[in-house]
Amino acid sequence: MIGPVQASMYSSTEPLTAALFSVFFLGQNFRMSDILGMDCIIAGISMLDFFEKK
């Protein structure tokens, strides 16, 4: 079983997976704003993981 912090980190990846599925299955194009948004989400998840108190 995972804790609440890990669950929130996994749920934060939903926009990333939706964007990747739209590119691969629907043929959508990435714009620079999409890439910047993905970078912000990944940075937030990384900070949660890095600064998590153990």
Side-chain angles (χ1 to χ4, degrees):
M1 192 164 232
I2 63 173
V5 174
Q6 288 84 9
S8 70
M9 287 174 23
Y10 290 130
S11 68
S12 297
T13 62
E14 183 182 353
L16 297 175
T17 55
L20 292 175
F21 279 128
S22 71
V23 168
F24 292 120
F25 295 117
L26 301 176
Q28 299 292 317
N29 295 324
F30 267 174
R31 293 180 289 180
M32 186 54 98
S33 61
D34 298 327
I35 295 170
L36 181 62
M38 290 177 91
D39 288 342
C40 289
I41 291 171
I42 292 170
I45 293 170
S46 299
M47 285 192 288
L48 278 174
D49 186 42
F50 183 75
F51 292 114
E52 178 184 0
K53 295 183 180 180
K54 298 189 183 220

